[in-house]
Amino acid sequence: MIHVLQTGNSKIFHGICLNALSIMKNTKEPIHLHIMTMEIPWSDVPKISEESCNHLREVLKSFNELNELTYYDISEDFEKTFYNTPNMNPKYTPASLIRLLFYRYIDCDKLIYLDADTMTVKSLEEFKKIDIENLEMGVCLDYLGKFWLKKDYFNSGILYINVKRVKETKLFENAIKLLQKEKLFFSDQTALYKLCKEKIYMPMCYNEQRSIKDDTVIKHFCKGIRY
């Protein structure tokens, strides 16, 4: 079973559905899709509904009866964690911070986190080629960040997470504590970059932020600068 995490609000649920379909098309091994969502007083965007996720679960099982989907409404937990903190309204959306709370809910061996603006081009079984047994995460460089910020600055839109290890090191817990104290420009991404010490930089085919290539595993349709 391959465990995949996607997070967000109702605004990006279509992206999650498209991503899920691309996974079904390319990955034969059973998938357990974890969807975490919330709605908060300082945002007018509703959460993803449980009804919508129930329908998506039926679609996943139409591809493979062993596929699973677990729905998490973390609205109350999110509000307690981030309300009245420096990063309660980050650059993109408060929903970008949801991923940081996954460790409180999900217990598995390895977890692939995918932003909603990604599409799978090859099987997610390709991640098994990356050895993170004694590491916290597998990450990819941020295409623009490596030029404008730090040469090793990574992109948090796709993360290959060793769940047991990050719980031991408290990586995501410490990232939340940092964001509760200090304002950061790319909030969750920069917090993880600052704190993650045990990582491996995966080939860019796992987070292709430009044009799809022959070896591309996941295409990330993130913001960029092009001629």
Side-chain angles (χ1 to χ4, degrees), residues 23-189:
I23 294 172
M24 294 303 100
K25 177 182 177 181
N26 294 290
T27 304
K28 302 306 179 185
E29 187 169 335
I31 299 294
H32 189 154
L33 179 59
H34 303 264
I35 296 183
M36 301 182 71
T37 188
M38 58 77 178
E39 58 185 27
I40 47 175
W42 63 95
S43 173
D44 59 358
V45 183
K47 64 187 175 184
I48 298 169
S49 71
E50 189 167 7
E51 180 182 10
S52 295
C53 286
N54 287 341
H55 180 61
L56 179 56
R57 182 185 295 108
E58 293 176 3
V59 174
L60 297 183
K61 285 187 172 294
S62 72
F63 284 89
N64 186 335
E65 187 60 34
L66 297 177
N67 289 336
E68 296 288 347
L69 186 152
T70 303
Y71 171 84
Y72 309 84
D73 176 0
I74 66 164
S75 301
E76 183 177 348
D77 193 8
F78 189 94
E79 184 175 351
K80 288 180 180 178
T81 302
F82 289 109
Y83 178 67
N84 205 26
T85 64
N87 296 279
M88 63 183 286
N89 278 308
K91 175 176 173 55
Y92 289 108
T93 166
S96 64
L97 302 175
I98 295 176
R99 75 194 83 179
L100 297 179
L101 292 132
F102 92 88
Y103 69 93
R104 300 178 183 176
Y105 300 89
I106 299 174
D107 188 19
C108 61
D109 184 20
K110 305 294 190 306
L111 180 68
I112 301 171
Y113 169 79
L114 300 175
D115 268 355
D117 61 346
T118 61
M119 293 281 275
T120 300
V121 181
K122 286 186 170 56
S123 172
L124 294 183
E125 295 176 51
E126 292 289 317
F127 278 87
K128 294 181 179 180
K129 297 177 180 179
I130 308 297
D131 183 8
I132 59 168
E133 202 59 43
N134 298 308
L135 303 171
E136 293 171 315
M137 296 195 300
V139 300
C140 291
L141 290 171
D142 187 272
Y143 183 84
L144 293 179
K146 67 183 180 182
F147 297 113
W148 299 102
L149 297 170
K150 298 278 188 178
K151 64 181 181 180
D152 63 346
Y153 189 76
F154 62 76
N155 181 282
S156 65
I158 296 167
L159 301 170
Y160 187 30
I161 305 170
N162 182 338
V163 177
K164 179 181 178 181
R165 185 58 184 153
V166 298
K167 289 185 178 183
E168 290 172 346
T169 64
K170 302 185 184 301
L171 172 61
F172 285 77
E173 182 178 344
N174 290 332
I176 289 171
K177 289 179 180 178
L178 176 60
L179 294 176
Q180 288 171 333
K181 297 177 183 178
E182 182 181 343
K183 179 69 175 177
L184 298 177
F185 187 66
F186 295 116
S187 304
D188 65 295
Q189 185 165 273

